[in-house]
Amino acid sequence: MVLSTMAAALRKVALVGGFGKLGSHILTALHADATLDVTVITRHTSSATFPPNTKVVKVSDGYPTSEMVSAFRDQHAVVLCLGFAGDKYHDSLVESSIKAGVKHLVASAYGGSESKEAIELFPIAARKGRMVEELRTRETPGWSWTAITCGLFFDLYAPPSALSSFINEIQLYLQRLFRLRPSCPQSHDLGFGQCGILRHERGYNRRSVAKVLAKPEATANRRVYISSFETSLNKILEAYKKATGVADWDVNHVKWDVEVASGKEMMKTGNMWGMGKLALAVEVKEGFGADFEKAGLLDNELLGIKRGDVEATVARVLKEKL
Ligand SMILES: NC(=O)c1ccc[n+]([C@@H]2O[C@H](COP(=O)([O-])OP(=O)(O)OC[C@H]3O[C@@H](n4cnc5c(N)ncnc54)[C@H](OP(=O)(O)O)[C@@H]3O)[C@@H](O)[C@H]2O)c1
């Protein structure tokens, strides 16, 4: 196999946020690639812990440029995986990577659609959109970026919550998060079957980072789109029925517009369930750009990332979380 010049050169990788909900998965995937020399960068004040033999560099809160330039120096690639509390430092970390002579940066994107509609409705889509715009302005010879675009992490949000231990609680959680409905004649309802898209396991995201580093030229200076599967709320319900053997579920029928209005109201009072409603709303509504497969955008093949299926994933989630 002929490796591209840049891919062959991206051996030394620094990961910022390697203990996070996604970052810990990315770290596992990077460690699994014996060709990579991985360093995790964490804050002195962090309570993060890492697997034995992980190379760790500690830095000050706020990622001061002088410290980051020296932490990134000699690294070929930087992978950013900052949570909401940390992503205000994204631009300065990008700048530090350029100053340090890093060749390629994987942005802390990992979000959903960039459509105008999604950006207008969902604040996180707007943040990610701005992040990508900023990356475009920074493009410079010898330095490139990739933003992995993936939609909701199915296995993170799939019920039950980590604390649930009874099937009844799963029903409650489903009711709150997905407001499932089994059939839907009206396309403006939230749970409509044909266009409702929820997908992407964190496992896919972690693999995609390692795959991007193996193909930096093909993924340079653009979003890459990955997906485990496209599914609908109705198919998810069917998968839960099959995996649990419970046929009778408590299903709420809700309207998309009403859910969106209530999500916005909740956000005004700082209730983060509102954010969840808006996240789901942009995923399931046709015309919001969430179906990357239908739009012909998927990069799974390019990256060699196999697709999964909703039934197997629901069965796994239930096994792992219960
Ligand atoms: N598509 C989806 O469904 C979805 C869902 C969740 C997240 N995401 C995306 O995945 C990426 C990572 O999110 P995450 O939820 O995995 O992140 P997270 O667990 O909340 O945090 C990741 C890391 O951010 C670092 N950090 C920097 N400054 C911080 C601060 N002031 N307070 C707390 N942590 C700080 C920490 O690293 P140290 O402690 O090591 O310093 C932390 O481990 C983000 O881009 C996010 O938007 C996408």
Side-chain angles (χ1 to χ4, degrees):
M1 190 172 63
V2 182
L3 280 179
S4 70
T5 323
M6 181 156 61
L10 297 188
R11 199 178 52 77
K12 297 187 75 179
V13 181
L15 170 63
V16 184
F19 183 62
K21 289 185 282 300
L22 174 61
S24 53
H25 290 256
I26 292 175
L27 181 59
T28 305
L30 295 178
H31 272 161
D33 185 336
T35 64
L36 298 178
D37 175 358
V38 182
T39 302
V40 173
I41 297 178
T42 185
R43 296 160 302 147
H44 286 293
T45 54
S46 171
S47 55
T49 56
F50 301 100
N53 303 324
T54 303
K55 275 195 206 172
V56 178
V57 168
K58 298 213 171 202
V59 295
S60 304
D61 279 15
Y63 305 110
T65 302
S66 58
E67 279 184 51
M68 294 317 295
V69 170
S70 64
F72 288 160
R73 183 137 1 249
D74 299 330
Q75 297 293 337
H76 304 138
V78 163
V79 177
L80 300 181
C81 196
L82 301 161
F84 299 132
D87 75 0
K88 57 179 169 286
Y89 306 115
H90 199 268
D91 295 349
S92 81
L93 284 165
V94 167
E95 192 184 332
S96 299
S97 78
I98 297 168
K99 282 189 173 157
V102 165
K103 293 181 170 59
H104 195 76
L105 177 132
V106 178
S108 192
Y110 319 106
S113 163
E114 62 182 320
S115 74
K116 191 170 118 313
E117 292 80 4
I119 282 174
E120 271 170 15
L121 185 59
F122 183 40
I124 294 174
R127 278 161 84 152
K128 302 293 179 188
R130 277 195 296 275
M131 183 184 280
V132 168
E133 283 317 307
E134 175 68 20
L135 287 163
R136 292 206 167 103
T137 69
R138 302 276 184 158
E139 283 169 23
T140 182
W143 177 91
S144 55
W145 60 272
T146 304
I148 295 170
T149 306
C150 56
L152 289 179
F153 300 162
F154 184 87
D155 56 350
L156 181 64
Y157 297 113
S161 73
L163 300 176
S164 297
S165 45
F166 301 104
I167 294 298
N168 277 346
E169 287 183 49
I170 300 172
Q171 290 177 343
L172 261 181
Y173 192 87
L174 272 172
Q175 193 182 323
R176 278 167 66 199
L177 185 62
F178 293 142
R179 297 294 187 94
L180 292 163
R181 60 173 297 158
S183 62
C184 178
Q186 292 156 292
S187 64
H188 58 274
D189 287 337
L190 182 59
F192 62 97
Q194 292 203 326
C195 303
I197 317 270
L198 284 161
R199 55 165 181 276
H200 314 299
E201 300 167 69
R202 277 175 295 171
Y204 280 74
N205 288 282
R206 80 177 179 212
R207 281 199 284 279
S208 65
V209 170
K211 301 281 188 181
V212 162
L213 294 178
K215 293 200 169 179
E217 273 106 356
T219 60
N221 299 333
R222 70 176 183 95
R223 290 178 181 257
V224 301
Y225 293 84
I226 59 154
S227 154
S228 317
F229 46 77
E230 275 69 38
T231 189
S232 69
L233 300 177
N234 295 332
K235 285 184 192 156
I236 295 167
L237 177 59
E238 287 312 310
Y240 272 85
K241 283 182 182 171
K242 196 167 168 187
T244 59
V246 176
D248 192 18
W249 289 73
D250 183 4
V251 175
N252 265 7
H253 295 197
V254 294
K255 304 281 186 205
W256 190 85
D257 295 344
V258 176
E259 286 299 291
V260 165
S262 115
K264 285 180 176 169
E265 273 310 305
M266 288 161 87
M267 293 277 292
K268 279 186 199 157
T269 60
N271 181 342
M272 293 312 278
W273 274 106
M275 186 73 95
K277 282 185 185 226
L278 298 181
L280 183 60
V282 299
E283 286 287 318
V284 301
K285 184 78 166 168
E286 189 161 27
F288 275 57
D291 191 339
F292 308 147
E293 186 183 35
K294 199 169 166 188
L297 292 168
L298 280 185
D299 287 304
N300 282 56
E301 211 176 307
L302 169 78
L303 297 176
I305 297 173
K306 285 192 194 138
R307 307 254 287 159
D309 77 81
V310 66
E311 285 191 0
T313 304
V314 164
R316 177 176 65 75
V317 165
L318 282 169
K319 206 167 150 200
E320 283 174 7
K321 289 190 179 178
L322 281 183

